[in-house]
């Protein structure tokens, strides 16, 4: 009985080796896919970007995109191999049955979306408008040290 081959898209996030040795990174990704019965359709360096947050101590990463055919059981093996790799920080594998080979070859990185400016200067997300002067604000209720414990809090 022949195994059903699904079409997938995988985005690999490489650590420092991605920028320093792009050919080695491509062959590493190719090896992982082929080790699990995958057949590469398109494999290319996609982009190098600053990461939104540090991953494995890295602030920058190189993305490699791969389109391939493989049995459904291959995805777990690919993800496991990436998890065990020190050079590959992350991978995301998605079904890509809706794409043809021409569309796969045409995939190019999009420019990063501009970051939204924050108007309050404090890192908060919402613009709450101007704040009233301190004298016009209602006073906060003070917490009393000797207040009775409510709902079981503070009981010994």
């Amino acid at each position: 009985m022949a195994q059903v081959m699904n079409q997938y898209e995988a985005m690999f996030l490489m650590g420092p080796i991605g920028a320093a040795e792009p050919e080695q990174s491509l062959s590493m990704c190719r090896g992982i896919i082929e080790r699990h019965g995958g057949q590469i359709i398109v494999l290319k360096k996609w982009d190098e970007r600053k990461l939104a947050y540090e991953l494995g101590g890295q602030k920058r990463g190189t993305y490699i995109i791969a389109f391939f055919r493989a049995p459904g059981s291959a995805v777990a093996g690919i993800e496991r191999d990436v998890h065990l790799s020190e050079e590959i920080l992350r991978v995301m594998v998605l079904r890509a049955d809706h794409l043809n080979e021409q569309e796969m070859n045409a995939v190019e990185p999009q420019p990063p979306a501009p970051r939204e400016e924050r108007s309050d200067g404090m890192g908060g997300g919402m613009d709450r408008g101007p704040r009233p002067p301190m004298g016009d604000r209602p006073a906060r209720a003070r917490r009393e040290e000797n207040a009775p414990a409510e709902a079981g809090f503070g009981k010994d």
Side-chain angles (χ1 to χ4, degrees):
M1 186 170 153
Q3 235 177 355
V4 176
M5 299 290 268
N6 299 315
Q7 190 166 287
Y8 294 99
E9 169 184 354
M11 181 70 75
F12 293 88
L13 176 57
M14 306 298 291
I17 193 172
E21 302 283 341
E23 290 304 315
Q24 185 180 349
S25 298
L26 289 169
S27 67
M28 188 181 308
C29 295
R30 177 182 300 278
I32 288 174
I33 291 169
E34 290 176 347
R35 184 177 314 132
H36 296 283
Q39 302 164 350
I40 302 288
I41 302 167
V42 174
L43 177 70
K44 62 183 176 179
K45 179 181 171 189
W46 187 69
D47 202 5
E48 184 180 339
R49 295 203 176 167
K50 181 176 184 279
L51 302 176
Y53 53 91
E54 270 190 38
L55 278 174
Q58 302 302 314
K59 295 180 180 185
R60 295 192 65 77
T62 301
Y63 291 90
I64 293 178
I65 191 160
F67 294 96
F68 61 97
R69 287 185 190 86
S73 60
V75 174
I78 290 169
E79 290 174 342
R80 182 185 64 243
D81 282 3
V82 167
H83 184 72
L84 295 172
S85 170
E86 293 180 7
E87 292 86 8
I88 305 173
L89 303 174
R90 292 275 194 279
V91 69
M92 181 172 61
V93 182
L94 303 171
R95 288 284 294 263
D97 295 324
H98 62 285
L99 297 173
N100 62 39
E101 196 165 337
Q102 183 180 2
E103 291 171 319
M104 293 178 199
N105 281 309
V107 170
E108 292 297 327
Q110 301 298 311
R115 293 189 66 173
E116 192 174 303
E117 293 297 319
R118 297 191 172 154
S119 61
D120 65 356
M122 296 294 289
M126 296 185 348
D127 182 11
R128 298 184 189 109
R131 296 180 70 152
M134 289 296 282
D136 294 345
R137 291 187 194 170
R140 285 187 179 174
R142 290 194 140 191
R143 184 174 160 204
E144 305 235 359
E145 292 295 322
N146 298 326
E150 295 179 23
F153 291 111
K155 291 184 178 179
D156 291 330

